[in-house]
Amino acid sequence: MGRVRLEAITWDRLGDLLADRLLELRTADGGPWPRLAVDGAPAARPGDLAERVAEALRIRGRPSLVVGAEGFLRPASVRLEYGHRDVESYYGGWYDTGALWREVFGPLEPGGDGRVLPDLWDHVTDRATRSPYVRLPPGGVLVMHGPLLLRHWFPFDLTVHVLLSPGALRRRTPEAEHWTLPAFERYERETAPAGTADVLVRADDPRHPAWRG
């Protein structure tokens, strides 16, 4: 990543600044639904920041829908076909990107109806969630969070990467999940999310984040 100047910030302030930026954002495709990515390894807790942004938007009178990529994991029979700790499968096959395109991004294209499926699969029960569709009104913001988001060419209008140093990532990842760490090393090499995201948040110390944006 090289040397990047980051400024100290609080999580609440960061949520406010991202919300304000989204209020003024013009979508790349001209559609009425801005799409935000909060990308980061599970240990970086990108969902927490996504929820903060959604709350800041609510206070500003702007509707939003938070969607976690973990709600679109593939069934265990597909996800774990090559074993419970196959790094290649985790990197390229755990998430149902086709369903995300169809059920989340497609309805938010220009001329879409805004009916988004917030989740599809419960990985704990390994069954369909059967969640109802949610209609996001024009002007509403999609806030998606999860790992490895920036390698799929999803049509985000603003991207945030929550970065952990390799040491912090290892410390904050449960030992049972250390087998996933090579996937994030590969993600850094191939996608360079810290350099390509619009906003970078460093969260080695979760009490004292810093950002560039």
Side-chain angles (χ1 to χ4, degrees):
M1 183 179 69
R3 295 184 65 84
V4 176
R5 184 180 297 275
L6 300 175
E7 298 180 2
I9 195 170
T10 66
W11 290 111
D12 286 340
R13 178 62 176 154
L14 181 57
D16 287 339
L17 289 174
L18 291 173
D20 288 339
R21 187 163 173 178
L22 287 163
L23 293 179
E24 302 174 355
L25 188 66
R26 290 189 176 184
T27 61
D29 60 11
W33 295 286
R35 295 148 297 194
L36 168 68
V38 184
D39 174 66
R45 302 183 66 87
D48 291 354
L49 179 55
E51 293 290 350
R52 288 179 186 273
V53 174
E55 175 61 15
L57 287 168
R58 185 193 66 79
I59 292 171
R60 288 157 174 77
R62 180 67 66 88
S64 66
L65 177 64
V66 177
V67 174
E70 72 274 6
F72 287 84
L73 284 168
R74 297 182 185 276
S77 60
V78 177
R79 196 170 72 245
L80 307 178
E81 180 180 3
Y82 298 102
H84 287 256
R85 297 189 173 193
D86 187 84
V87 176
E88 185 69 26
S89 294
Y90 179 76
Y91 188 73
W94 271 38
Y95 294 90
D96 192 341
T97 55
L100 283 167
W101 279 104
R102 182 179 67 252
E103 303 290 359
V104 178
F105 293 105
L108 302 182
E109 293 177 349
D113 61 10
R115 291 179 70 251
V116 174
L117 188 65
D119 51 57
L120 178 64
W121 199 259
D122 185 333
H123 70 278
V124 176
T125 63
D126 201 33
R127 295 181 179 179
T129 59
R130 302 188 184 278
S131 296
Y133 284 85
V134 176
R135 188 177 295 277
L136 192 61
V141 180
L142 171 69
V143 182
M144 178 172 286
H145 63 86
L148 312 174
L149 289 180
L150 304 186
R151 63 178 297 267
H152 298 296
W153 299 99
F154 291 138
F156 294 116
D157 300 295
L158 182 65
T159 55
V160 178
H161 177 63
V162 185
L163 173 69
L164 296 178
S165 68
L169 178 60
R170 175 169 289 274
R171 288 192 304 272
R172 292 172 57 185
T173 298
E175 186 173 352
E177 298 173 15
H178 276 189
W179 66 271
T180 65
L181 297 179
F184 293 104
E185 294 173 4
R186 179 178 173 185
Y187 185 49
E188 178 61 35
R189 291 195 308 271
E190 296 184 353
T191 306
T196 58
D198 299 309
V199 176
L200 176 64
V201 181
R202 187 149 199 163
D204 285 5
D205 183 344
R207 301 166 300 176
H208 302 291
W211 84 310
R212 178 217 68 206

